[in-house]
Amino acid sequence: MTETSSTRLMDLFAEAVELDEDARRTFIDRIEADDPGLARKLRALLAADSTEGPSLHAPIEEAAKSLSAQKAAEEAAEEEDRWLGREIGPWRIKRRIGAGGMGAVFYAERSDESYDQGAALKIMAAQLLDREGAARFRVERQILANLQHPHIARLIDGGTTDEGLPYLVMSYVEGERVDLYCDREALNVPDRLKLFMKICEAVDFAHRNLVVHRDLKPSNILIDTAGTPQLLDFGIAKLIDKEQLEMTMVRTSVDARVMTPEYASPEQVRGEQVSIATDVYALGVLLYRLLTGRSPYGSGHSSPHALHTAILSEDPKKPSSVVTEATTPDERSVMTDLGKQRGLRPEQLRSALSGDLDNIVLKCLQKEPERRYRTAADLADDIRRYLNRQPIEARGDDWAYKARKFIRRRAIPLGVTAGVIAIVAGLTTFYMIRLADERDQARIAAQQARQASDFLAGLFFNASPDQTPQGGVTAIDLLEKGQEQVDALAEQPRLQAQVIALIGRSYFYLGDVERAADLLRQSVTLQEQADTQDPLLFADTLIVLGQALSYNDYGDDIDEADEFLQRGIAILDTVEGADPLFLRNALAARGILLYNLDRSEEAIDLHRRALAITEQANDRESVASSLNNLALAYSDLGRLDEAEPYYRRAIAMNDEHLGELHPVTIQSYGNLGTSLMRANTPKDAETLLTEAIRRGEEVLLPTDAGLALYRAELGLAKMEKGAFEEGADVLREAIAISEEAFGENHVETCYQMLKLGDILAAAGDFDGAERVYMDADRRLSQSDAQAAPNIARQIRASRILAMLASGNATGARPLINEALEERDEISQTRLNILETYRAMAMTVAGEHEQAADLFADTITKIGDTRFEPPVYKMSVYDHQARSLLALGRIEEARNSILEAKGIAQNSVGPESWRMALLDLTHASIMRADGREDAAQALEKPARQRLIALFGNSDPRLQLGTIIR
Amino acid sequence: MGAMNGGAMPTQTELTGFLKDWAEGDRSAEQKIAPVIYDEMRRSAARLFARERAGHTLQPTALVHEAFANLIAADVEWKSRSHFYALASRMMRRILIDHAKAKNAQKRGGGMIAVTLNEEILSNGENGIGLLDLADSLDAFEAEYPRPAQLVELHYFGGLTVDEICAVTDLSPSTVGRDLRFARAWLKNELTIDKG
């Protein structure tokens, strides 16, 4: 292309983008006549211009990030080299053998030569915070040192360096990564499975000793020179958690250097409780890789966040399907290699994997921990059955399970994450988050059992008389044995009930809620049948049972859960001498359950009582959590005035006691900010939301639903104060983040688009708003999320209001009719609201007579408008006033506009630009009343302000053309 | 003006002086500043990584601004400042492309240092385009449209706003807006064709 034709294309493009669609077509057609090539180019450019297309920013930002990460790693490596030759305790550091997020790993030898083998010495990157942390480090270290198994690299020593950095010394394994080993040896599928089973057995051994690995991945599984797997770093991920808070995983998972995204389970990505099932998941990823050479989520993720999203929401493809789906020649040759490495051609490999092996792998990879294999041993058993050609346990998908309804609501986004967090915050004493707690609880339970009866003591401790504590008698072994022999207690039903309750309770703390529920139910039945009852034990059993059932979150168990909790609370209410905090936790558990069941009114009473108890006991953490629970329940009912003081107190306490960046603290800021926006008091909301976002961006994942919501609300807060461009920018950024984090068609993204549309409409850019609304609507139609229809309705409401504001009754009417078609499915309140829309359209169309009649019929019947756009109600009265004015019914018109202004006064405040819009109508009414001076005094500043904000041609300023 | 000797790092005063010379038309001064900016931005990258948490998007802007703050006297006049940003944007483009190429080579060679960040991010993702594709397209675009290409560099690699670009280039906001829009359409069209 010559210089001139290049310039010509630029000029034509610049000209064409300014034209509307029809003019553009004519324009290009004309060019086509004498230069078809140029026309084609122009068309392609215009098409690229009007579609979203790939982001140009993204690859640049990702490269910048990757560069930074690399530089940081290089610097860290340099830093680590200073350890060489140093002596740490009895160890002399010889060479560096690896680096990772947790710290550096060195090859070290005993300087006193008392131990002639080399060892791997790992120096943690972080200092232990305090003396308590150091003590815990010692305890955990001891537990890991006792973990002795031929396939687990042993922890030999540990301590802290002179600088106070904790270090660990593990047996040094000379070996090769398991995946590389399998490929190099070209192991066939059965041999790979056999090797994998050995890994499972080692993992299971650790689990039975109540140690969860948390970071299983090929680089932690080496095959030594004898061909035996050696698992490294067992429990280390836990050990180096410097905070040891329940939210620890949130922190580690946002830190890219610690995180190993491919092997992270959904619960780790979400920062939730880590359990045995977490390791089972990682084993599934490993098996997937050993069989197919791929990650379950493919490799095409544009960022770690995209991978996170995939882990949370994508169903992995069947292993058998991925091994033959190669499309390019390059991929095909890889697949052929893959088959060869596994001793098979690709098609043979596929048939080897399809069916049982697919099912086994996918069962490990279930999103919900409770749907995976219960233990690593169960997984190994299924593989053994497969190898022996016996039927396996993992079969297809459990549809009944899938069909069960998730009870948490999505209608008001506020409730969702808040509810989850509230549970975590409120029930830490019951829902044991950390394994250490689980272990302690299990021990306490075992101890209580021993104290409770000599029989039990004998059972627990004589079962394996020759085994030393290190020999592998584990809490679960004990519980299982106890369960087996509990029948022998049939003669002593009371004791039997007590033992069963203790075992059930222990399972509950171990996270096996189903098994816990079964046992606790048995115990309840036994206690009910007994002649006499220990009321405290009975209450305890009922409450733990109730919690186990509500913990499940699914289906019919919930009603039953409430029943048990109520019975337990009733007993505690009457019994003397019960620990008040015990009652408090029971009350909180039931309060949260009721909140989730949409019964916040009742939840309030419970949380109030819980609060009173915690205040008396002066237990700070549960005070804050009770305050938060109470505030949530109030704002759920729209009673913000009552909620706010509780929120404020909770915020102050969280800031002080949990720390600024604790997720619960952030949540309390966001909760209040969001509630304030819902009550149309944007001023204070802006500060709180900005704060919540600032802190949240530091520690929360971009997929955090709360964070997404705060951004939308912050944009709206800025809109209300007239900072439209700023508000729109907040939303645009939020949408970009959500597209990346959740996906383009995700409800979260669509919700933010809806809000962006609202801001554009408020700014007078009605065309822009309509485009965004339509785009959001189109995207929503791709989503089958439960909340989608709800948001689609909100979009329609916003579109109607925007069209009416721009004077476009013709556009609004079909939408109103469409909404009215759902009349059978919606409440009378909603129907009345739709009727007012119809009336407003009449006003805009100049059909004032009919409008006035319809307003008179419906306006007093508008009830709860929580789900309408915030401008809705004042807009209704404004339109009514205009129709009445047009009909010359001045007095009534005045009443209507005063009503509208009253609403504005109490919500957006007297300074709001919305008030200026109402002033225009008000001034017209005054003028019609013959009060020209007063009208001018009101109109002039309002008009000036609106022109400054929206320009001269904004349809909302052309009042005269509407009222004729 | 003291010349650099033996590759020693020039002082801030010296750099500010070079920058001024360059802004006033001394082409040779560019050779003295460019490598310093290049190194400085690469060094800052590690610091920024430590400061930023993952989950944030690391903006190239931050690197450019940081390099400016570290290298140049704060009271330098606006014209020199503009030139600095223009140069830094170009350096940024080069740094990132060098990095992406090195990563690619590393991946093919199999050797990789222990960075646990997902390495796939530099190749074509599902929803995005790779940096190297973008770089190729931008080169092609630049051959035909040098001015808009420079604006792309300033905006996307340097992170400059339209206003800042106007100050750097002496172009009007409408010209900058028009050129950028054209460039975006051109590049997106090119990149989608490549992909399809």
Side-chain angles (χ1 to χ4, degrees), chain A residues 283-301:
Chain A
L283 285 171
V285 181
L286 174 67
L287 184 56
Y288 200 108
R289 193 162 265 287
L290 291 182
L291 295 175
T292 68
R294 292 190 182 198
S295 149
Y297 304 103
S299 58
H301 297 286

Side-chain angles (χ1 to χ4, degrees), chain A residues 454-746:
Chain A
D454 288 343
F455 171 87
L456 263 190
L459 169 75
F460 273 30
F461 295 97
N462 294 329
S464 317
D466 53 348
Q467 281 174 323
T468 62
Q470 282 107 323
V473 179
T474 68
I476 288 202
D477 289 341
L478 290 179
L479 291 172
E480 275 174 0
K481 282 198 189 96
Q483 217 184 323
E484 280 164 23
Q485 299 186 29
V486 88
D487 286 344
L489 291 172
E491 297 298 304
Q492 299 154 274
R494 211 178 129 181
L495 183 60
Q496 193 184 31
Q498 188 175 359
V499 173
I500 295 175
L502 286 168
I503 298 173
R505 193 180 223 285
S506 305
Y507 274 116
F508 176 62
Y509 290 135
L510 289 167
D512 189 344
V513 285
E514 268 174 51
R515 214 151 157 183
D518 283 350
L519 287 162
L520 291 164
R521 223 188 267 272
Q522 276 182 44
S523 175
V524 165
T525 314
L526 284 168
Q527 289 183 59
E528 279 169 338
Q529 288 164 353
D531 304 330
T532 54
Q533 277 174 1
D534 173 354
L536 276 182
L537 175 71
F538 192 45
D540 178 64
T541 316
L542 288 167
I543 289 167
V544 181
L545 174 57
Q547 286 178 325
L549 292 171
S550 55
Y551 193 43
N552 243 346
D553 248 4
Y554 298 99
D556 317 327
D557 286 352
I558 297 292
D559 294 335
E560 240 192 316
D562 189 30
E563 196 188 307
F564 288 123
L565 287 172
Q566 280 188 63
R567 285 175 63 190
I569 291 170
I571 295 172
L572 285 180
D573 274 342
T574 54
V575 175
E576 296 272 313
D579 181 351
L581 284 178
F582 183 35
L583 176 59
R584 182 265 160 193
N585 287 329
L587 292 167
R590 181 158 185 253
I592 290 163
L593 182 68
L594 292 178
Y595 169 86
N596 283 329
L597 290 170
D598 235 337
R599 289 161 61 186
S600 290
E601 194 85 47
E602 297 160 75
I604 286 176
D605 294 339
L606 294 164
H607 289 315
R608 274 190 174 292
R609 284 189 62 194
L611 179 63
I613 295 171
T614 50
E615 278 172 339
Q616 199 155 26
N618 203 15
D619 181 77
R620 283 203 203 100
E621 214 165 296
S622 31
V623 172
S625 114
S626 291
L627 288 168
N628 189 54
N629 292 343
L630 196 49
L632 264 180
Y634 272 121
S635 39
D636 189 39
L637 296 169
R639 288 157 66 178
L640 191 80
D641 288 352
E642 288 155 283
E644 187 169 348
Y646 292 115
Y647 272 132
R648 298 269 179 204
R649 276 176 65 197
I651 285 176
M653 293 192 76
N654 287 340
D655 260 339
E656 193 182 338
H657 300 300
L658 292 178
E660 284 196 355
L661 293 180
H662 196 285
V664 172
T665 309
I666 296 170
Q667 193 81 34
S668 57
Y669 273 86
N671 280 352
L672 177 55
T674 310
S675 302
L676 288 171
M677 277 307 295
R678 297 231 181 278
N680 279 330
T681 40
K683 246 190 198 161
D684 296 346
E686 187 179 350
T687 328
L688 288 158
L689 291 166
T690 308
E691 194 57 26
I693 294 167
R694 183 186 69 74
R695 297 182 186 188
E697 281 176 344
E698 276 195 55
V699 293
L700 300 178
L701 289 177
T703 41
D704 190 281
L707 204 47
L709 176 67
Y710 308 154
R711 291 198 182 99
E713 298 292 334
L714 177 63
L716 296 177
K718 291 192 181 294
M719 161 185 86
E720 287 303 340
K721 70 171 194 188
F724 302 111
E725 211 33 60
E726 253 180 73
D729 281 345
V730 169
L731 261 302
R732 285 191 190 105
E733 198 194 326
I735 290 166
I737 294 170
S738 293
E739 282 177 340
E740 174 92 343
F742 300 101
E744 290 205 348
N745 302 330
H746 194 277

